[in-house]
Each structure stands twice: as structure tokens, then as C-alpha cells.
Amino acid sequence: QVTLWLKKIYGNQPIPQYEVNARTVDILYELAECNEARDRDVSLLIEDMKQRAAEYEAEANYLQGLLAESLDLSLSSLSSEGTSYLNVLVNSAMTLETKDTSLASFFCAINDMTSELYATESKNREMELELTNIRKKLTAALMLEKQLEGDLKKTEERLEVEKAKADSQSQNLKFLKDKSEDLKIRIKAAE
């Protein structure tokens, strides 16, 4: 079955060499099944499209006959301007996705699109407002960050100054202790 499928896929071309073992045959078999299922789906879709095309053509013929009978109009009897207007009408109906070209369908479609436009504009305004708020918060956060960096720098500078003072006082204290010890020794020696 796999060999038949490969021959069908490659047609007159030679089938590429592959290692024949249980795993590769299983994989190719699954591919063949998927490919055949897809081909069946595509053929059903094609048949459906053909049926729809036939239905649309029958509907077009019916409407053309109706126009010819009731208004004595046909595409060949329309002027180039009339044909142009008819094409604009058809394109508008297709763009607006109306079920037909009646005035009511056009109004409904235009109302739907207008509502959708207003909803989109409203959502855009909300998003712009949210974006403005986020920008304000970001600006405030950046300013706070700069202020904190400045405060940190000042604190580090003060810490250095205080550390230098502490070192100086520590040296003075050590000097005074040494001097005190020296004086104690001299006092004992004098006594």
C-alpha cells in the first residue's frame, strides 16, 4: 500500500531511496493515510464549491430573466455608464457583505459598520487614555528613580565624610590611649 501511494505521488519520477524498516514503513503509511484523507476532504470541498457555483449561476440566470421580463433590461442593453453603476452596486454589496442589493440590506450593513466604527473609536480612545496614564506613571517613576539615585549619591558622599571623621576620631582616640598609657607609666616612674 505504501509503495502504491509513493508511485501515485511521484508519478513517472523514480521513488527516492529510503531505508526500509518497520519504523519508516509505519511513518510512510501514516503519511499516506493523512494524504488520502486530505485528498478526500479537498474533493468534497471542490464538489461543494461546484454546487454553490451552480446555485449562484442559477440564481443569476433567474434574476437576469426577471430583469429581462419585468423591466426589459439585459446586460447588453445597458449603457457603459449603467454597467459601471451596476458594477459599483455589486462591489459595494460584496464589500459590505450584504445578502442582496436591496436598500434595506445596504442600510443594515452601513449601520453595522458604523456601530463597529464607533466601538473601535471608543476602544481606541480608552487605549489612548490608558497609554497616557501609563506614560505619566512611567515619567513619575523615572523622576523618582533619578531622585533616588541623587539621594543615594549624596548618602554615599556623606558616608565617606563620616567614615573619614570616624577614622580621624579613631586615630585621635588611639593617640590619646597611647598618651594616657605613656603618662601612667611616667607617673608610676615618678612616684
Side-chain angles (χ1 to χ4, degrees):
Q1 191 174 2
V2 169
T3 306
L4 291 174
W5 176 70
L6 287 172
K7 284 181 182 177
K8 179 180 158 187
I9 294 294
Y10 284 98
N12 294 336
Q13 297 176 358
I15 298 171
Q17 294 292 324
Y18 64 93
E19 185 180 331
V20 179
N21 59 35
R23 185 171 185 271
T24 56
V25 171
D26 287 343
I27 291 171
L28 287 173
Y29 181 75
E30 286 181 29
L31 281 173
E33 283 185 336
C34 290
N35 187 278
E36 289 171 0
R38 191 192 67 202
D39 287 348
R40 283 191 301 271
D41 291 344
V42 168
S43 64
L44 287 173
L45 189 61
I46 290 171
E47 289 301 316
D48 183 52
M49 294 288 196
K50 284 180 182 176
Q51 183 180 351
R52 284 186 184 188
E55 289 172 2
Y56 289 144
E57 190 173 338
E59 180 74 18
N61 289 337
Y62 169 74
L63 292 174
Q64 193 172 3
L66 191 65
L67 282 174
E69 282 179 27
S70 60
L71 300 174
D72 196 27
L73 284 175
S74 69
L75 285 176
S76 58
S77 69
L78 288 176
S79 66
S80 63
E81 190 176 357
T83 305
S84 172
Y85 288 149
L86 186 60
N87 285 335
V88 168
L89 183 65
V90 168
N91 288 336
S92 298
M94 290 177 71
T95 300
L96 293 172
E97 297 177 359
T98 61
K99 63 178 182 173
D100 55 34
T101 56
S102 69
L103 202 53
S105 293
F106 277 112
F107 282 145
C108 288
I110 290 170
N111 282 340
D112 289 345
M113 290 187 99
T114 304
S115 296
E116 192 176 312
L117 175 68
Y118 287 144
T120 303
E121 286 176 347
S122 174
K123 192 170 187 176
N124 283 348
R125 281 193 295 273
E126 288 175 10
M127 290 175 77
E128 284 177 13
L129 184 63
E130 187 176 335
L131 182 62
T132 303
N133 289 338
I134 289 172
R135 281 186 183 145
K136 285 179 184 176
K137 288 178 182 177
L138 181 61
T139 304
L142 290 173
M143 289 177 66
L144 182 62
E145 181 184 17
K146 275 190 174 181
Q147 184 180 356
L148 288 173
E149 285 175 356
D151 290 347
L152 181 63
K153 189 174 180 182
K154 287 178 186 175
T155 305
E156 286 174 350
E157 288 171 358
R158 285 183 186 159
L159 187 61
E160 287 293 322
V161 169
E162 292 298 322
K163 186 177 178 186
K165 283 182 183 178
D167 287 345
S168 173
Q169 287 177 352
S170 174
Q171 287 176 356
N172 286 340
L173 184 62
K174 186 175 186 263
F175 174 75
L176 290 174
K177 277 184 180 179
D178 290 344
K179 192 70 169 171
S180 172
E181 287 296 319
D182 184 46
L183 287 175
K184 283 181 184 175
I185 293 170
R186 282 185 182 180
I187 290 173
K188 279 192 178 189
E191 287 176 345

